[in-house]
């Protein structure tokens, strides 16, 4: 009997995780109640920068239901400093980051005291009885001001607001030429200044943590993306033995990088539970979340792009200011560095220099947010390509094509020193152009311009690549990242032939249970339904690097493949023994060991039962089919794609409508097309939201004025169009499945596509840029400023960034 | 204060604080943790339930306001061990990723379909405008709602019609927020 099992990989399998989610039987951390559990509420600083002169908690302690009240002084000896795992330079300045402020507060929202009470309502009531006296300190909010000589300081002990300056120079690295010389020798040079506004990850499930200290074994449930790293960091920061800590990330309601953190609240809940010897729960409100969970992006980017008249790019210089906020969190300093490798994108650029200055301000810390560094870079280069095309008077797509790496040139080592393994930008672009009706829309655009239609049409392009699968450990090491990039997995054959796959990757909506089941079903030839995927618990998955940077599939799932291969290898001598043949005579396919050229066979599931009984195993064979494996790839993977966006811009009101959006992504081999499509949709929504809606805004005092969902505008269904998504498939050569990763692609590519489309619509009005988010007000103002400029000095001069001076020099 | 509420077909009489929100009553007192809290300003819709057959944001309703009412949560819509057609459609169309917005989204969609059994794309988008999802980009949610509409057409099953109790009780819009 030959097996005709259809491969699972490539099928749109409906998700295993859905049942509990659609029926409301989900294991959110906040759903958990333990016997004797107490509730913790946090008092937060209303000031962005102040000295705490006194805190009086005596009255709060007498309030109904209150068990105890703690301040920073209570935990000063044990709380340590929240960890930063990425010292990007040897002389990086990193202030102490206490979970509970001790004598100063450095951002509005910083925790200053906590109440632990019988109920959440009682804990919040008692917060009001805490008296804190503050003495104002000067507030530093503006990065450009912060780096000037004599600026007020965020941390006076550091005597500077600069945390670190990090440089990559292609002439020093030997990956390209000297950029100043390249620029000096070029026929066309454009300089622009862009602002990456501050965003808030805004996962829908507020952060929640429960700590149970029973028996000196600390079990922490947390809505986190990183249970493994969190466990390690708690052990290292708080001096608690690692083997006494178990971290469980049950169902987690979204992360987007926002739950890639060791949070003050996790540490405080841990300390409170340890002090009181009882389980403690903390769940943040949405306002607390917006105020104090880390923010993302927030850069000022100065770019210089040089080219020949024929459009050939000759050099790229990037100078960044990156806002760290008040403290360095887990990977804050490294976020802009991830972008350093992506500013050159898919283009052949002969000379490149990147300088980044990480700056402290009195704002909530920034850290990873979907794409982390790569959206910022992609935005900047894709905007510059459009600006260069406008300057040269050529079609922006043609300009890109002239400069991009051609299909036959892969593998290709870029000016930033990365080797792109595979890609086919021609194929993705051709498909996208056709689906989009590029020529038809250009035609319509010309017509609308001709008849001075008040609603103008703009076409935005973003051809992008990203580095996925944050791994090769040695590369991360060379960037001083504090951990490796491998991932771990185990495959356990149970006696009845069912399979448990344990993964160190810890999902929060990505569908690992389904995708990993598909992959392992093919590897072992067992049914999809016979596989259970375990994750997010350091007791079952004792090793792991967790989920961020689109690494789950490209690194995590490959570890599972390796573990499955070991299971087959272990089963082989046992199957040979059972079938009384030589090992070399065995074939394994579709879950079956067959003696070559005969009908004689046994399944791997039968072998599992034989192993369990262990009555008759070959000599010296261990009675186990369980295996584990760790995978550390040789290279990143490089998904790419072409995104095309058509926007209609009402020149009278400034209103922008996304009329159509087409993207063709190449993410290599696809495990589950349905899940991939969903990830792309969600990513696009987040990227479009950066272009049009979202921004964290502070007033002059440093108070967050977008502290609720009424002010921080997430797009609703009515704000977005339906997207047309498609794929090309150029397998990655960096891993055995040929997968590339997709979690961040949509977000990375869509922001510049939308901004380019709006600017494209408005070029006849003398507009060269519109600052994000492109609210109707900003668009309207850009049109007015553009027209005034065009009337005065000619439409083609200068960058024009609304209120920002585009002619100013570098970031230094 | 003493209230009596029928939740998912079971009647409960409880003493509650006057300020307790319905969502907290459901979650903490009744253990109905399927309904979740995503914001504190009634902007996200994660807490959407039905109060006397109409969707409301249960974070903007006090438990005492539900006295004498019938509440349906995500845990009460499957019948006879079968998923509600909207639940089924969410699964079939991959209309959820992390799933945190999903109970509220499903409850809102059921109400939307009761008002408009055959909504076009725009009507669905506007009908779920008060429910935020950060993961899906909404496209598959829209697809799911329209797919459910298709399966719920008259003749397709009892869920196709709204169950009206005839009392004429409707959550006043001042406490509703279920836009
Ligand atoms: S929890 Fe957000 S609307 Fe109720
Ligand atoms: S599925 Fe995650 S918020 Fe909607």
């Amino acid at each position: 009997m030959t097996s005709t099992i259809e491969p699972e990989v490539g099928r749109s399998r409906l998700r295993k995780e859905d049942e509990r989610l659609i029926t409301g039987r989900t294991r959110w951390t906040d759903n958990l109640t333990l016997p004797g559990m107490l509730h913790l509420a946090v008092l937060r600083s209303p000031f962005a920068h102040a000295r705490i002169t006194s805190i009086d908690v005596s009255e709060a302690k007498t309030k109904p239901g209150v068990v105890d009240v703690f301040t920073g002084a209570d935990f000063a000896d044990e709380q340590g400093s929240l960890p930063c795992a990425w010292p990007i330079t040897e002389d990086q300045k990193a202030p102490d980051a206490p979970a509970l402020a001790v004598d100063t507060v450095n951002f509005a929202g910083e925790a200053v005291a906590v109440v632990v009470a019988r109920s959440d309502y009682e804990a919040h009531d008692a917060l009001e009885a805490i008296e804190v006296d503050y003495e104002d300190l000067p507030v530093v909010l503006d990065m450009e001001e912060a780096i000037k000589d004599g600026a007020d300081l965020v941390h006076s002990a550091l005597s500077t607001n600069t945390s670190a300056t990090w440089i990559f120079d292609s002439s020093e690295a030997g990956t390209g030429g000297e950029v100043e010389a390249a620029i000096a020798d070029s026929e066309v040079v454009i300089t622009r200044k862009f602002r990456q506004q501050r965003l808030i990850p805004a996962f829908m499930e507020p952060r929640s943590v429960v700590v149970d200290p029973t028996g000196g074994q600390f079990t922490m449930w947390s809505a986190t993306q990183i249970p493994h790293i969190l466990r390690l960091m708690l052990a290292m920061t708080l001096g608690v033995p690692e083997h006494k800590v178990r971290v469980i990330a049950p169902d987690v309601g979204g992360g987007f990088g926002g739950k890639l953190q060791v949070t003050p609240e996790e540490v405080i809940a841990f300390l409170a539970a340890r002090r009181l010897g009882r389980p403690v729960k903390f769940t943040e409100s949405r306002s607390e979340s917006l105020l104090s969970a880390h923010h993302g992006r927030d850069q000022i980017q100065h770019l210089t792009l040089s080219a020949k008249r024929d459009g050939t790019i000759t050099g790229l210089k990037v100078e960044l200011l990156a806002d760290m906020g008040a403290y360095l969190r887990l990977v804050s300093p490294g976020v802009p560095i991830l972008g350093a490798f992506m500013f050159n994108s898919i283009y052949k650029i002969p000379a490149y220099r990147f300088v980044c200055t990480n700056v402290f301000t009195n704002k909530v810390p920034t850290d990873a947010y979907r794409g982390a560094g790569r959206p910022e870079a992609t935005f900047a280069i894709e905007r510059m390509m459009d600006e260069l095309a406008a300057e040269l008077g050529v079609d922006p797509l043609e300009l890109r094509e002239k400069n991009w790496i051609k299909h036959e040139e892969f593998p290709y080592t870029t000016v930033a020193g990365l080797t792109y393994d595979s890609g086919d930008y021609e194929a993705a672009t051709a498909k996208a152009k056709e689906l989009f009706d590029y020529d038809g829309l250009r035609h319509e655009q010309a017509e609308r311009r001709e008849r001075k239609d008040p609603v103008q049409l703009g076409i935005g392009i973003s051809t992008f690549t990203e580095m996925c699968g944050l791994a090769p450990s040695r590369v991360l090491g060379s960037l001083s990242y504090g951990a490796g990039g491998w991932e771990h997995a185990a495959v356990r054959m149970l006696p009845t032939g069912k399979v448990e796959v344990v993964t160190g990757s810890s999902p929060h909506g990505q569908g690992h249970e389904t995708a990993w089941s598909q992959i392992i079903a093919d590897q072992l030839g067992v049914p999809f339904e016979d596989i259970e995927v375990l994750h997010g618990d350091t007791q079952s998955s004792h090793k792991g690097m967790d989920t961020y940077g689109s690494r789950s599939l490209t690194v995590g799932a490959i570890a599972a493949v390796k573990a499955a291969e070991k299971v087959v290898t272990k089963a082989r001598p046992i199957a040979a023994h059972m079938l009384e043949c030589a090992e070399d005579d065995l074939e394994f396919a579709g879950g079956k060991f067959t003696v070559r050229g005969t009908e004689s066979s046994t399944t791997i599931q039968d072998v599992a039962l034989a192993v369990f009984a262990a009555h008759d195993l070959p000599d010296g064979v261990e009675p186990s089919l369980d295996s584990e494996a760790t995978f550390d790839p040789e290279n990143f993977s490089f998904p790419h794609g072409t995104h095309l966006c058509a926007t209609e811009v009402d020149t009278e009101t400034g209103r922008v409508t996304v009329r159509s959006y087409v993207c063709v992504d190449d993410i290599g081999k696809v495990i589950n097309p349905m899940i991939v499509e969903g990830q792309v949709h969600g990513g696009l929504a987040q990227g479009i939201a950066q272009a049009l809606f979202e921004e964290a805004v502070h007033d002059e005092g440093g108070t967050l004025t977008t502290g609720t969902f009424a002010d921080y505008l997430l797009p609703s269904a009515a704000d977005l169009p339906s997207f047309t998504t498609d794929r090309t498939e150029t397998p990655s050569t960096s891993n055995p499945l040929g997968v590339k990763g997709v979690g961040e692609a949509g977000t990375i590519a869509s922001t510049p596509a939308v901004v380019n489309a709006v600017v494209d619509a408005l070029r006849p009005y003398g507009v060269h840029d519109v600052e994000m988010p492109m609210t109707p007000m900003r668009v309207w103002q850009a049109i007015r400023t553009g027209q005034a400029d065009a009337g005065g000095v000619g439409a083609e001069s200068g960058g024009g960034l609304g209120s920002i001076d585009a002619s100013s020099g570098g970031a230094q | 204060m003493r209230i009596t509420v029928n939740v998912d077909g079971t009647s409960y009489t409880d003493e509650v604080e006057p300020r307790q929100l319905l969502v907290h009553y459901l979650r903490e007192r009744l253990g109905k943790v399927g309904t979740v809290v995503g914001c504190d300003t009634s902007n996200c819709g994660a807490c959407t339930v039905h109060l006397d057959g109409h969707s409301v944001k249960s974070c903007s309703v006090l438990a005492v306001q539900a006295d004498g009412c019938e509440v349906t949560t995500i845990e009460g819509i499957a019948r006879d061990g079968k998923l509600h057609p909207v639940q089924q459609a969410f699964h079939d169309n991959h209309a959820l990723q992390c799933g945190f917005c999903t109970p509220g989204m499903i409850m809102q969609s059921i109400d939307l379909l009761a008002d408009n059994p055959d909504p076009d794309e725009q009507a669905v988008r506007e009908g779920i405008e008060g429910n935020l999802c950060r993961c899906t980009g909404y496209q598959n949610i829209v697809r799911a709602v329209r797919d459910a509409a298709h399966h719920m057409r008259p003749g397709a099953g009892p869920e196709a019609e709204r169950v009206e109790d005839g009392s004429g009780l409707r959550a006043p819009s001042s406490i509703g927020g279920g836009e």
Side-chain angles (χ1 to χ4, degrees):
Chain A
M1 209 171 65
T2 50
S3 128
T4 53
I5 299 174
E6 206 190 315
E8 283 288 342
V9 166
R11 290 175 72 176
S12 284
R13 270 282 189 191
L14 295 183
R15 294 200 322 171
K16 287 185 167 182
E17 353 341 55
D18 287 359
E19 191 188 334
R20 62 182 186 271
L21 301 170
I22 55 178
T23 53
R25 307 250 166 68
T26 317
R27 297 162 301 189
W28 310 118
T29 300
D30 191 41
N31 291 356
L32 196 71
T33 301
L34 298 177
M37 189 176 81
L38 301 171
H39 296 259
L40 185 146
V42 179
L43 183 73
R44 297 180 184 279
S45 166
F47 301 110
H49 201 192
R51 188 167 293 116
I52 301 170
T53 51
S54 70
I55 306 185
D56 183 355
V57 300
S58 51
E59 199 194 327
K61 283 193 179 177
T62 67
K63 292 288 173 194
V66 171
V67 174
D68 215 332
V69 182
F70 300 110
T71 67
D74 294 315
F75 290 145
D77 295 338
E78 48 189 310
Q79 68 178 343
S81 179
L82 291 166
C84 170
W86 204 334
I88 56 168
T89 60
E90 271 170 29
D91 60 353
Q92 169 171 290
K93 306 262 186 312
D96 251 11
L100 210 43
V102 179
D103 42 30
T104 57
V105 287
N106 294 301
F107 66 89
E110 188 166 355
V112 285
V114 295
V115 174
V116 185
R118 263 178 341 204
S119 78
D120 201 32
Y121 277 54
E122 287 169 324
H124 279 95
D125 284 347
L127 285 185
E128 281 162 33
I130 301 176
E131 297 277 349
V132 189
D133 286 326
Y134 296 96
E135 185 184 299
D136 275 356
L137 291 170
V139 176
V140 180
L141 297 174
D142 183 306
M143 280 193 280
E144 289 171 325
E145 294 297 320
I147 56 169
K148 286 184 181 156
D149 281 346
D152 291 324
L153 294 172
V154 176
H155 301 282
S156 51
L158 300 182
S159 68
T160 171
N161 290 320
T162 298
S163 173
T165 302
W166 194 90
I167 300 171
F168 177 88
D169 188 304
S170 64
S171 67
E172 283 162 25
T175 54
E178 211 284 303
V179 83
E180 294 297 348
I183 291 169
D185 285 346
S186 296
E187 291 161 348
V188 186
V189 178
I190 53 169
T191 62
R192 291 290 186 271
K193 172 179 173 178
F194 300 120
R195 203 175 66 100
Q196 288 284 325
Q197 79 269 38
R198 187 172 262 256
L199 297 180
I200 307 183
F203 33 77
M204 289 310 296
E205 180 207 17
R207 295 172 307 166
S208 181
V209 57
V210 175
V211 182
D212 181 2
T214 306
Q217 170 82 33
F218 295 90
T219 306
M220 174 185 281
W221 289 260
S222 183
T224 181
Q225 295 173 227
I226 53 161
H228 298 91
I229 294 174
L230 181 57
R231 176 201 202 194
L232 174 66
M233 291 293 137
L234 288 171
M236 290 170 77
T237 307
L238 302 178
V240 27
E242 192 179 352
H243 63 295
K244 296 290 184 190
V245 183
R246 172 186 181 188
V247 177
I248 302 171
D251 287 316
V252 175
F256 317 110
K259 289 175 179 166
L260 199 186
Q261 204 51 262
V262 179
T263 68
E265 294 82 1
E266 284 161 331
V267 169
I268 296 167
F270 190 102
L271 295 173
R274 180 160 76 180
R275 191 69 72 87
L276 298 169
R278 288 172 67 178
V280 168
K281 181 200 274 189
F282 168 77
T283 299
E284 69 184 356
S285 69
R286 177 57 57 183
S287 321
E288 284 182 287
S289 185
L290 295 171
L291 190 64
S292 64
H294 74 248
H295 294 174
R297 312 278 193 266
D298 208 346
Q299 294 183 355
I300 294 172
Q301 311 172 309
H302 290 267
L303 282 94
T304 306
L305 183 67
S306 62
K308 295 191 213 159
R309 270 270 144 225
D310 72 357
T312 309
I313 296 173
T314 55
L316 173 66
K317 189 168 73 170
V318 178
E319 286 164 315
L320 291 188
L321 292 181
D323 194 338
M324 298 288 104
Y327 300 103
L328 303 181
R329 292 293 196 232
L330 196 60
V331 299
S332 313
V335 169
I337 309 309
L338 290 172
F341 301 96
M342 286 288 115
F343 276 91
N344 54 290
S345 189
I346 65 171
Y347 308 113
K348 293 186 277 190
I349 297 181
Y352 174 52
R353 183 175 166 85
F354 170 93
V355 182
C356 175
T357 305
N358 286 349
V359 183
F360 291 116
T361 61
N362 290 114
K363 284 179 263 176
V364 72
T366 56
D367 205 309
Y369 169 52
R370 204 168 189 170
R374 292 154 288 167
E376 296 91 320
T378 303
F379 174 86
I381 188 66
E382 287 305 288
R383 286 288 300 111
M384 291 303 273
M385 291 306 282
D386 261 36
E387 293 303 296
L388 180 61
E391 178 75 27
L392 296 171
V394 299
D395 181 280
L397 210 40
E398 274 167 34
L399 179 73
R400 285 169 170 81
E401 187 159 4
K402 184 172 184 76
N403 286 288
W404 75 38
I405 304 155
K406 306 293 178 299
H407 182 50
E408 61 278 8
E409 293 173 295
F410 288 93
Y412 183 91
T413 300
T414 72
V415 74
L418 296 181
T419 301
Y420 295 176
D421 57 347
S422 69
D424 190 344
Y425 309 139
E426 294 87 336
T429 303
K431 201 167 191 178
K433 263 183 95 169
E434 193 187 319
L435 288 168
F436 187 67
D437 186 20
Y438 187 78
D439 297 333
L441 284 166
R442 280 277 180 226
H443 188 72
E444 182 185 333
Q445 179 182 47
E447 262 177 21
R448 285 198 191 213
R449 283 183 178 172
E450 179 69 23
R451 65 167 187 268
K452 301 217 164 24
D453 194 322
V455 179
Q456 287 289 321
L457 181 68
I459 294 170
I461 300 162
S462 168
T463 52
F464 83 106
T465 189
E466 57 161 323
M467 53 201 256
C468 268
L470 278 196
S473 295
R474 82 195 138 72
V475 176
L476 296 181
S478 72
L479 294 173
S480 322
Y481 180 61
W486 47 263
E487 194 47 88
H488 176 265
V491 172
R492 306 174 185 153
M493 291 292 300
L494 304 179
T496 53
K498 310 295 182 199
V499 181
E500 283 176 344
V501 180
V502 186
T503 175
S505 183
S506 188
H508 36 285
Q510 292 91 338
H512 287 24
E513 291 166 36
T514 306
W516 272 230
S517 295
Q518 290 180 269
I519 292 165
I520 298 307
D522 283 359
Q523 294 294 318
L524 295 180
V526 303
F528 174 79
E529 295 78 14
D530 284 0
I531 300 169
E532 193 68 25
V533 178
L534 311 179
H535 56 75
D537 181 344
T538 59
Q539 197 161 80
S540 57
S541 63
H542 64 290
K543 275 197 254 181
M545 285 291 183
D546 309 317
T547 289
Y548 51 88
S550 295
R551 65 189 303 282
S552 296
L553 181 61
T554 48
V555 190
I558 310 299
V561 168
K562 300 277 176 198
E565 282 168 0
K566 287 188 188 174
V567 168
V568 176
T569 306
K570 276 180 141 182
R572 187 173 284 276
I574 303 166
H577 184 72
M578 288 163 72
L579 296 169
E580 297 176 339
C581 69
E583 254 186 79
D584 285 349
D585 290 338
L586 279 184
E587 279 174 343
F588 181 72
K592 251 188 211 175
F593 290 99
T594 309
V595 185
R596 218 181 299 273
T598 74
E599 295 283 294
S600 172
S601 72
T602 184
T603 66
I604 192 161
Q605 298 188 303
D606 289 340
V607 177
L609 188 61
V611 164
F612 171 74
H615 295 159
D616 182 22
L617 298 180
D619 288 344
V621 166
E622 179 195 6
S624 157
L625 278 193
D626 301 350
S627 277
E628 56 178 327
T630 303
F631 179 66
D632 195 346
E634 291 158 15
N635 194 358
F636 303 103
S637 62
F638 299 95
H640 68 83
T642 297
H643 289 224
L644 297 172
C645 173
T647 56
E648 287 184 350
V649 184
D650 186 328
T651 57
E652 282 161 7
T653 63
R655 190 184 147 85
V656 174
T657 312
V658 178
R659 180 166 119 182
S660 65
Y661 196 103
V662 169
C663 64
V664 175
D665 285 295
D666 194 323
I667 55 162
K669 283 278 178 206
V670 168
I671 307 303
N672 184 319
M674 178 193 80
I675 290 178
V676 160
E677 199 194 339
Q679 292 252 316
V680 173
H681 291 166
L684 294 179
Q686 274 178 293
I688 292 171
Q690 173 169 13
L692 296 178
F693 305 110
E694 295 183 25
E695 177 172 26
V697 181
H698 296 81
D699 66 15
E700 319 86 80
T703 304
L704 183 72
T705 59
T706 49
T708 69
F709 276 159
D711 313 295
Y712 188 82
L713 299 181
L714 297 194
S716 78
D719 296 318
L720 296 169
S722 279
F723 313 112
T724 303
T725 61
D726 210 330
R727 295 194 312 274
T728 54
E729 196 171 294
T730 317
S732 167
T733 59
S734 342
N735 64 65
L737 286 182
V739 295
K740 293 182 182 173
V742 70
E744 295 156 298
T747 305
I748 293 172
S750 57
T751 311
V754 177
V755 178
N756 277 341
V758 172
V759 174
D760 183 54
L762 298 178
R763 276 200 202 277
Y765 297 77
V767 173
H768 299 270
D769 205 354
V770 182
E771 197 178 302
M772 297 187 290
M774 300 182 296
T775 56
M777 184 59 140
R778 284 215 176 104
V779 172
W780 185 80
Q781 270 168 349
I783 294 170
R784 270 189 18 163
T785 314
Q787 278 174 324
D789 288 353
V793 284
E796 294 307 310
S797 68
L801 231 188
S803 59
I804 293 184
D805 174 15
S807 60
S808 63
Q812 300 304 294
Chain B
M1 289 174 82
R2 180 176 293 267
I3 60 168
T4 298
V5 192
N6 188 302
V7 181
D8 297 335
T10 305
S11 178
Y12 301 88
T13 298
D14 273 307
E15 205 59 50
V16 298
E17 271 191 78
R19 62 173 173 164
Q20 186 166 45
L21 298 174
L22 177 59
V23 64
H24 290 145
Y25 172 71
L26 293 171
R27 287 178 57 81
E28 277 143 38
R29 190 67 73 86
L30 305 188
K32 294 265 178 189
V33 293
T35 305
V36 295
V37 181
C39 73
D40 24 65
T41 46
S42 55
N43 288 97
C44 79
C47 63
T48 305
V49 300
H50 294 175
L51 189 61
D52 287 334
H54 296 277
S55 68
V56 294
K57 291 177 174 172
S58 62
C59 72
S60 62
V61 178
L62 295 169
V64 292
Q65 287 173 290
D67 186 25
C69 295
E70 211 161 285
V71 175
T72 308
T73 78
I74 188 72
E75 287 155 80
I77 56 169
R79 299 237 177 99
D80 310 325
K82 264 189 67 188
L83 294 176
H84 187 283
V86 174
Q87 283 176 308
Q88 187 64 46
F90 268 62
H91 177 55
D92 292 345
N93 291 279
H94 186 37
L96 60 148
Q97 288 179 37
C98 79
F100 195 77
C101 70
T102 308
M105 225 21 123
I106 289 175
M107 298 311 286
Q108 179 60 21
S109 302
I110 293 173
D111 191 47
L112 162 69
L113 292 175
D115 277 340
N116 179 357
D118 188 20
D120 62 12
E121 175 177 339
Q122 205 44 41
V124 176
R125 286 186 178 276
E126 278 158 21
I128 59 170
E129 202 177 1
N131 289 62
L132 297 175
C133 174
R134 191 57 153 171
C135 301
T136 63
Y138 303 105
Q139 188 155 335
N140 287 351
I141 295 178
V142 174
R143 223 180 256 173
V145 176
R146 301 195 67 206
D147 182 36
H150 180 74
H151 284 99
M152 289 164 71
R153 295 259 157 73
E159 297 87 352
E161 286 125 56
R162 163 176 286 160
V163 189
E164 288 285 8
D165 66 359
S167 70
L169 262 182
R170 193 189 160 103
S173 57
S174 60
I175 61 163
E179 76 257 62

